[in-house]
Amino acid sequence: MEPPAAASRLPSFASQTNALLRKNLIFQKRNRKETIRLIIVPIYLCVLLSVLQRVINNVLDKPKYKCGCKCVNVDGAGPCQNVCGIQYSTLDQAGSCPIPNPPEWPTLLQVPRAEYRAIQDSSKLFTGLPDASCRKSQSCPASIPFTGANETLSTTVMQNLFTDSPLSNLSDYTSISSLLLGTDIPGTSTGFIEPAFVSDVPMYVIQSQCKARDPVTVRVTIDAINIQKEIKCVQGLPLWRNSSRTINEETFMGYRKGKIRGGINEIAMAYDFQDSNEKHFNVLAMYNSTHLNISYVPTPFGLLRLSRSLNAVSNAYLQFLQGQGSGTKMLLQFMKEMPKQVTHLTIDFSSLIGPLFFEWVVALLFPVMLTYLVYEKQHKLRTMMKMHGLGNGPYWTIYYAYFLILSTVYLVLFVIFGSLIGLNFFKTNDYGILFVFFFSFTNLQIVLSFVAAIFFSKVNTAQAIAYLYIFGSGLMAGSLIRNFLEGGKFPRHWITVLEIIPAFSLYRGLYDLSQYAIRASETGNPGMRWSDLNDHTNGMRDVLIIIIVEWLVLLPVAYYFDHASSVGHRSSPLSIIKRFLGKNPTWRRISINEIANNDVHVEMEKLDIIKEREIVDQVLQQRNSGYAVVCDDLKKVYHGKDGNRDKYAVRGLSLALPYGECLGILGPNGAGKSSFISMMIGFTKPTSGNAFVQDFSIHTDMENIYSSMGVCPQNDMLWEMLTGKEHLQFYGRLKNLNGSALDLAVEESLRSVNLLLSGAADKQVMKYSGGMKRRLSVAISLIGDAKVVYMDEPSTGLDPASRKNLWSAVKQAKQNRAIILTTHSMEEAEVLCDRLCIMVDGRLQCIGRPKELIARYGGYYVLTMTTSSEFEREVEDLVLKLSPNTRKVYHLSGTQKYELPKQEVRIADVFMAVENFKKRVEVQAWGLADTTMEDVFVKVATGAQSIDELS
Ligand SMILES: *[C@@H]1O[C@H](CO)[C@@H](O)[C@H](O)[C@H]1NC(C)=O
Ligand SMILES: *[C@@H]1O[C@H](CO)[C@@H](O)[C@H](O)[C@H]1NC(C)=O
Ligand SMILES: *[C@@H]1O[C@H](CO)[C@@H](O)[C@H](O)[C@H]1NC(C)=O
Ligand SMILES: *[C@@H]1O[C@H](CO)[C@@H](O)[C@H](O)[C@H]1NC(C)=O
Ligand SMILES: *[C@@H]1O[C@H](CO)[C@@H](O)[C@H](O)[C@H]1NC(C)=O
């Protein structure tokens, strides 16, 4: 028979793509409900956002949050007038009130809290201070270190800092500002309210000597409003230091959160008078800007209490110049914030929490794509397609394009709907930027799902982990990126580094877009435009660059790993990486030697196997063998894990199979049949040895082998959604069939496996019975012009009628193909196979035509006889008389089975003898049978196993 030229029949890229595209379109059509549901998700989220936004703004528009008003009689008579303002508002309302005339607040000095104020400690620093006992009585002084070129001058100025006038009623600003008042409460972000006057916390007056320790309640008048305020005295302690370096070191060491010494020693202020003299005053003031109180101050920094300390020192210098007692003073009476209009409290909710929502919307596609990929992997459909000739190129092209279209439609609908519903996020920003951003991220996400698919083999696991990942990474990106950006403390370039994680870069992009949207809705400017990408605070440009670079890097990586793993070797990503790094563990070679030594004595015995081996050797000499399949000493070892012994699945298999032949492989479970088939179809790599299919090696040329191979695997690998016909059309197209030839082949194929009846061909596979799936699998393996077909137990689970049909289909298909078939049914083996081999424990025990085998291993009749137990002896005598070489093979309470050698007995003699015997003894039942394949099988199998046990 002619060996076909396989290379010329390789299906073209276009025809493979076409086949896959059509299959996916059908799949998509069946799956449209899912798709629609998926596309509805962003729409649903947009609606939810917009509803939430309306609800929130509605609530904020209620009187509860509007500036409070009251009807008051302004001029004492007539109808009252509606007057709005802070004075009529609750705390919630005050925020939106107009403040046409902000209150004038006296300025205060920031004083450290009593428990943190500086004290003497063991170091050389912090000299001239009281010891720790002052902390108990809360009477530590507010220390003010100072330095300067002229110590006399500096000390004199510092002494003038404090006024020791007694606390009287503070009824005007002059009396307030002549005292040095302080507080330990941090300031607010605006100057509308001075928390020190409003809260119940006592204020401080800083004096050079405290007479009374207890707080004094004083009446303070601010803007004609009387406030009762407790005021405590704090001693102000000027401390001469001989250089500003000392001061610097002190403040450095005393830092509350510092970890260097652990001591907390905070100072109130520090001055450096430098080269000041009577002619000019040159002062440097050190202050602490780290004071903040989150619960008071929504923005990171409160107003700094710096002005009072500068004013106080200037005033002290003035006193020094004039000499004590002169009347001229330079005092800062109050500070006043600029007036403010009435404001509406609104929150651009969609832009505020939008990034997180939108992140989830975009990332939602990830698990969907992953599911597609892992589904085909879990059900081995990818391998099945590959085994029928589908290359990686078309697979990638179609899936990539398919995912891209799905994602693009999804995101375009999302953007359109978001704009329609009026979300600022979409309306204000440039659609071009939105498109480029989403589109590039989508591409990255597709590649990521290809990469992720490598690591999963179960849809459920993949889905669970993917959903967890997008949910968790979204939240994490949300809190981290937002805090880092808004906190302003985390270095920008580290944020950029974080954006290497795709979820983070997505969030960053969305965050910046939303910031522009918020600004746009506040100021009426347009949102993000292309020109804004040059803005260095805008992370969008970096994000786009990162995404595109990652895409470019991951694409070949994903393709490589996918290629490596899809060859069908059930290899973990780890082993791929190992292979990639070129590491080949050395223990492999050792174990190969072990098997080689084991083998010798067995092969010596079997002539037929030696002959087969000779044919193989002969065939291997020739360039063009003309044989369909040639196996050359194929071995497979599964290495034992966790201390288990290595398992030798196949121990040196040599076979030569011409075209037009069907070879049946028989063997008990675990004999290595499936391992053998797995190696031949590229599921696993042989540990050693080689096999040639149409002269292509299974080590190197699997791609070529696949193009003319058919496989009917043990477990049906079918798409639940597709019909039988669609399966056959798909695989037919993969095998280069099209047009009427394809229709014909599909119909022929369906008829041959009996699937044309009762519309089975057009039913989805999920409605098929096990037997129907089996028949479809066989049909798939035979469609097209597959030259070598492997069938792993093709007729399991079939009813007798279907089985007959199947057999005739296979018999017909055998004409110009080589078929390798494993089965447990002897009947099937005898009907279908030209040659049979029996495999036990990884070795071939015999090979030959069924008749030959029966003759060789059979060669006897089986006589079964049942009598009552007392006559067993006599039965045995009878049989031994017929032939002395008889063997008893079975014996159980009166039933005995004997093998009578064919050469020594004639059937007629047996009948005669039994008839005579029956006259004497009551025979309950008896029978004489020729040996069957089954007997041969049992004999070979048990024989081989007992040899094994002996050795
Ligand atoms: C330091 O200042 C005092 C008071 O003004 C002055 O009398 C003295 O000469 C100054 N000392 C120096 C070294 O300039
Ligand atoms: C302070 O005010 C209170 C109450 O108004 C008054 O009784 C007291 O005499 C005043 N003290 C001074 C020193 O003015
Ligand atoms: C911050 O302000 C809150 C609210 O008034 C107050 O309870 C808390 O003690 C303040 N914290 C500091 C460090 O001042
Ligand atoms: C400054 O004072 C420190 C101790 O407080 C002393 O060790 C140092 O020598 C002094 N430096 C000068 C320049 O006087
Ligand atoms: C400055 O203020 C912060 C926050 O209150 C505090 O932790 C730190 O110790 C202060 N630094 C000094 C030198 O007092």
Side-chain angles (χ1 to χ4, degrees):
M1 242 156 271
E2 273 300 290
S8 66
R9 292 184 313 99
L10 268 177
S12 67
F13 188 89
S15 69
Q16 292 184 35
T17 314
N18 174 34
L20 195 60
L21 179 65
R22 280 160 182 260
K23 187 221 84 187
N24 275 11
L25 283 182
I26 295 167
F27 192 83
Q28 193 51 53
K29 213 170 78 193
R30 300 271 150 75
N31 209 17
R32 59 180 173 268
K33 269 194 200 146
E34 283 291 312
T35 315
I36 290 172
R37 224 173 286 159
L38 175 70
I39 286 178
I40 282 178
V41 169
I43 294 181
Y44 170 77
L45 277 176
C46 281
V47 172
L48 189 74
L49 263 185
S50 128
V51 167
L52 273 177
Q53 167 138 21
R54 292 226 166 122
V55 168
I56 286 178
N57 281 343
N58 235 350
V59 168
L60 292 181
D61 210 27
K62 293 265 158 60
K64 186 167 188 288
Y65 296 100
K66 278 187 181 165
C67 187
C69 301
K70 203 179 175 189
C71 199
V72 283
N73 276 331
V74 183
D75 16 319
C80 64
Q81 279 175 10
N82 213 14
V83 179
C84 302
I86 293 184
Q87 62 271 37
Y88 308 118
S89 304
T90 63
L91 213 57
D92 285 334
Q93 293 173 323
S96 48
C97 281
I99 308 179
N101 205 358
E104 296 161 350
W105 296 106
T107 53
L108 302 173
L109 202 68
Q110 187 82 48
V111 181
R113 292 175 52 176
E115 62 268 38
Y116 300 133
R117 281 178 216 145
I119 49 171
Q120 182 90 43
D121 70 0
S122 53
S123 70
K124 289 220 183 77
L125 296 160
F126 302 109
T127 48
L129 283 158
D131 63 13
S133 62
C134 73
R135 283 212 171 143
K136 281 208 190 79
S137 56
Q138 302 243 317
S139 62
C140 295
S143 42
I144 308 176
F146 65 97
T147 184
N150 187 333
E151 186 177 348
T152 331
L153 180 139
S154 308
T155 314
T156 326
V157 171
M158 283 308 285
Q159 275 159 3
N160 293 341
L161 204 63
F162 315 107
T163 46
D164 282 347
S165 47
L167 283 174
S168 60
N169 292 352
L170 302 174
S171 52
D172 58 359
Y173 288 107
T174 319
S175 57
I176 299 174
S177 58
S178 63
L179 293 170
L180 197 54
L181 287 181
T183 179
D184 56 15
I185 303 177
T188 52
S189 57
T190 64
F192 290 121
I193 286 178
E194 169 56 84
F197 286 101
V198 177
S199 71
D200 300 331
V201 185
M203 286 198 317
Y204 300 111
V205 59
I206 297 122
Q207 296 182 330
S208 56
Q209 216 63 55
C210 280
K211 279 163 199 119
R213 287 270 161 235
D214 295 325
V216 185
T217 307
V218 173
R219 208 169 266 277
V220 186
T221 313
I222 292 160
D223 257 359
I225 301 171
N226 281 331
I227 300 171
Q228 292 268 21
K229 196 72 204 162
E230 282 200 330
I231 297 189
K232 260 176 149 176
C233 178
V234 178
Q235 187 199 351
L237 185 61
L239 293 165
W240 168 253
R241 296 289 182 249
N242 58 14
S243 75
S244 64
R245 256 192 50 206
T246 319
I247 296 177
N248 204 59
E249 221 166 298
E250 259 180 12
T251 47
F252 177 66
M253 289 303 190
Y255 197 86
R256 194 191 311 167
K257 285 173 189 160
K259 286 269 154 18
I260 297 179
R261 290 218 346 255
I264 304 164
N265 273 331
E266 291 182 7
I267 57 163
M269 286 292 305
Y271 295 110
D272 182 352
F273 292 101
Q274 308 192 46
D275 55 351
S276 300
N277 55 31
E278 277 102 349
K279 289 278 158 6
H280 79 246
F281 183 52
N282 189 10
V283 68
L284 187 148
M286 257 196 249
Y287 65 95
N288 189 348
S289 77
T290 339
H291 279 292
L292 71 142
N293 189 341
I294 303 292
S295 48
Y296 260 118
V297 189
T299 50
F301 296 100
L303 283 187
L304 295 172
R305 296 210 169 90
L306 183 60
S307 36
R308 185 71 184 108
S309 68
L310 291 178
N311 165 252
V313 78
S314 308
N315 188 42
Y317 179 69
L318 185 65
Q319 303 306 312
F320 156 75
L321 285 186
Q322 294 178 330
Q324 284 286 5
S326 127
T328 316
K329 279 184 180 170
M330 186 174 78
L331 291 176
L332 179 63
Q333 293 203 327
F334 57 80
M335 296 258 274
K336 182 174 166 173
E337 178 74 89
M338 289 186 183
K340 156 183 178 289
Q341 283 276 11
V342 62
T343 42
H344 279 294
L345 215 59
T346 57
I347 298 175
D348 191 350
F349 187 68
S350 68
S351 304
L352 209 62
I353 75 150
L356 187 57
F357 262 80
F358 301 154
E359 163 123 11
W360 282 332
V361 168
V362 177
L364 193 65
L365 287 166
F366 177 68
V368 172
M369 296 187 289
L370 192 63
T371 305
Y372 266 92
L373 293 171
V374 177
Y375 177 85
E376 299 213 320
K377 210 170 134 191
Q378 177 182 352
H379 296 270
K380 304 233 169 64
L381 291 162
R382 175 83 194 276
T383 326
M384 183 79 176
M385 290 191 282
K386 213 176 154 58
M387 287 188 300
H388 286 89
L390 179 70
N392 278 326
Y395 180 85
W396 266 70
T397 314
I398 288 298
Y399 270 87
Y400 200 99
Y402 175 62
F403 288 155
L404 195 60
I405 290 169
L406 183 73
S407 310
T408 310
V409 169
Y410 175 85
L411 290 172
V412 165
L413 282 180
F414 172 51
V415 173
I416 290 179
F417 198 80
S419 312
L420 285 183
I421 218 166
L423 296 181
N424 274 333
F425 185 91
F426 301 105
K427 273 191 346 194
T428 54
N429 291 314
D430 190 301
Y431 282 113
I433 298 184
L434 283 177
F435 180 79
V436 169
F437 175 58
F438 282 139
F439 188 76
S440 45
F441 188 79
T442 294
N443 276 292
L444 177 60
Q445 191 161 257
I446 293 173
V447 172
L448 281 176
S449 60
F450 272 105
V451 173
I454 299 168
F455 295 89
F456 294 104
S457 52
K458 289 265 182 308
V459 170
N460 290 346
T461 334
Q463 271 181 336
I465 291 185
Y467 280 113
L468 262 182
Y469 168 74
I470 61 165
F471 188 72
S473 65
L475 280 181
M476 206 153 89
S479 59
L480 284 186
I481 295 279
R482 161 162 263 152
N483 281 338
F484 286 163
L485 285 174
E486 287 174 0
K489 285 180 194 151
F490 201 73
R492 294 253 154 188
H493 55 270
W494 280 110
I495 297 180
T496 312
V497 169
L498 270 186
E499 284 162 12
I500 289 174
I501 303 169
F504 284 50
S505 56
L506 175 62
Y507 188 88
R508 178 71 198 274
L510 292 169
Y511 177 84
D512 279 336
L513 284 168
S514 77
Q515 289 302 304
Y516 272 86
I518 291 174
R519 236 172 290 161
S521 62
E522 275 168 4
T523 61
N525 290 344
M528 197 188 288
R529 293 284 173 268
W530 283 110
S531 54
D532 294 321
L533 293 199
N534 293 327
D535 181 357
H536 73 280
T537 54
N538 185 354
M540 185 54 96
R541 191 179 52 181
D542 290 353
V543 165
L544 286 179
I545 292 173
I546 289 176
I547 288 176
I548 290 168
V549 168
E550 263 177 32
W551 179 75
L552 286 177
V553 169
L554 282 180
L555 191 64
V557 171
Y559 187 81
Y560 175 80
F561 281 122
D562 180 71
H563 184 87
S565 69
S566 76
V567 180
H569 312 133
R570 265 182 245 126
S571 38
S572 64
L574 206 71
S575 71
I576 297 171
I577 291 166
K578 261 193 210 152
R579 208 183 313 153
F580 184 66
L581 295 175
K583 276 190 192 144
N584 229 344
T586 43
W587 41 261
R588 262 189 203 178
R589 243 167 278 140
I590 299 167
S591 26
I592 291 165
N593 293 339
E594 276 168 26
I595 332 170
N597 295 339
N598 262 354
D599 264 356
V600 183
H601 70 280
V602 183
E603 284 195 6
M604 295 293 283
E605 295 166 7
K606 316 272 174 32
L607 268 176
D608 46 352
I609 290 165
I610 293 170
K611 213 169 123 209
E612 188 76 15
R613 174 73 233 173
E614 277 164 7
I615 297 175
V616 169
D617 286 339
Q618 210 176 339
V619 167
L620 286 177
Q621 307 285 322
Q622 297 154 326
R623 190 87 196 88
N624 207 336
S625 63
Y627 275 80
V629 178
V630 180
C631 298
D632 175 21
D633 204 18
L634 216 50
K635 284 173 189 163
K636 179 74 195 173
V637 182
Y638 292 108
H639 293 283
K641 279 183 191 149
D642 309 327
N644 289 331
R645 287 173 53 195
D646 288 356
K647 177 164 173 20
Y648 303 109
V650 177
R651 317 186 184 215
L653 198 86
S654 297
L655 276 178
L657 187 65
Y659 292 98
E661 188 180 289
C662 171
L663 174 73
I665 303 181
L666 302 175
N669 289 328
K673 292 170 298 178
S674 293
S675 299
F676 168 63
I677 299 265
S678 291
M679 284 188 279
M680 295 305 291
I681 61 181
F683 256 43
T684 50
K685 281 246 183 245
T687 313
S688 77
N690 201 351
F692 298 91
V693 179
Q694 296 190 292
D695 296 329
F696 292 115
S697 156
I698 61 167
H699 279 289
T700 50
D701 278 325
M702 222 51 220
E703 209 81 10
N704 279 317
I705 294 174
Y706 283 146
S707 68
S708 58
M709 187 174 97
V711 178
C712 167
Q714 199 167 15
N715 308 313
D716 302 304
M717 300 175 183
L718 304 167
W719 286 275
E720 301 273 279
M721 293 267 192
L722 301 192
T723 67
K725 197 170 179 177
E726 285 155 359
H727 272 93
L728 289 170
Q729 283 171 337
F730 171 64
Y731 285 109
R733 286 199 185 96
L734 272 190
K735 288 268 181 309
N736 245 357
L737 290 174
N738 49 30
S740 55
L742 176 67
D743 294 343
L744 207 71
V746 167
E747 195 170 329
E748 185 55 38
S749 185
L750 285 168
R751 182 173 303 117
S752 71
V753 293
N754 225 0
L755 278 177
L756 262 191
L757 297 171
S758 65
D762 293 319
K763 268 196 221 156
Q764 291 183 29
V765 164
M766 63 175 106
K767 294 180 190 136
Y768 275 27
S769 66
M772 287 160 89
K773 286 186 187 167
R774 211 65 212 124
R775 282 182 276 157
L776 179 59
S777 292
V778 171
I780 288 174
S781 71
L782 292 177
I783 199 164
D785 202 13
K787 285 295 163 197
V788 177
V789 178
Y790 302 94
M791 294 185 179
D792 210 352
E793 301 178 16
S795 65
T796 19
L798 291 193
D799 60 86
S802 312
R803 192 181 332 180
K804 285 266 149 56
N805 272 320
L806 191 77
W807 287 349
S808 62
V810 174
K811 261 184 174 165
Q812 214 174 1
K814 202 163 70 175
Q815 302 309 328
N816 51 354
R817 297 182 160 103
I819 297 180
I820 292 182
L821 180 143
T822 74
T823 181
H824 283 301
S825 152
M826 300 304 144
E827 194 188 353
E828 182 171 74
E830 275 188 83
V831 172
L832 289 182
C833 300
D834 303 291
R835 283 201 299 164
L836 286 177
C837 59
I838 298 178
M839 235 177 134
V840 179
D841 204 19
R843 291 189 193 99
L844 277 192
Q845 298 301 329
C846 58
I847 185 164
R849 302 190 169 279
K851 290 259 155 48
E852 279 169 29
L853 289 183
I854 292 174
R856 186 175 340 143
Y857 290 93
Y860 49 81
Y861 297 114
V862 178
L863 176 69
T864 319
M865 188 171 280
T866 309
T867 60
S868 48
S869 326
E870 63 260 36
F871 299 117
E872 280 176 6
R873 188 75 232 155
E874 291 173 40
V875 174
E876 197 164 338
D877 289 343
L878 165 82
V879 177
L880 284 175
K881 219 183 290 165
L882 279 168
S883 156
N885 289 328
T886 299
R887 279 197 321 130
K888 178 145 84 174
V889 285
Y890 178 81
H891 173 204
L892 185 75
S893 64
T895 301
Q896 302 178 71
K897 212 177 194 176
Y898 295 95
E899 287 175 2
L900 314 176
K902 275 186 186 170
Q903 302 93 328
E904 294 174 21
V905 293
R906 284 190 6 223
I907 295 182
D909 295 342
V910 178
F911 274 84
M912 190 89 81
V914 173
E915 281 309 312
N916 289 335
F917 185 66
K918 271 163 89 176
K919 283 174 194 152
R920 288 186 289 124
V921 176
E922 194 200 341
V923 175
Q924 282 156 9
W926 78 285
L928 183 68
D930 201 349
T931 30
T932 57
M933 199 57 219
E934 200 155 333
D935 297 317
V936 173
F937 176 74
V938 171
K939 196 162 182 167
V940 172
T942 49
Q945 270 161 357
S946 57
I947 287 175
D948 259 20
E949 275 151 25
L950 285 178
S951 60

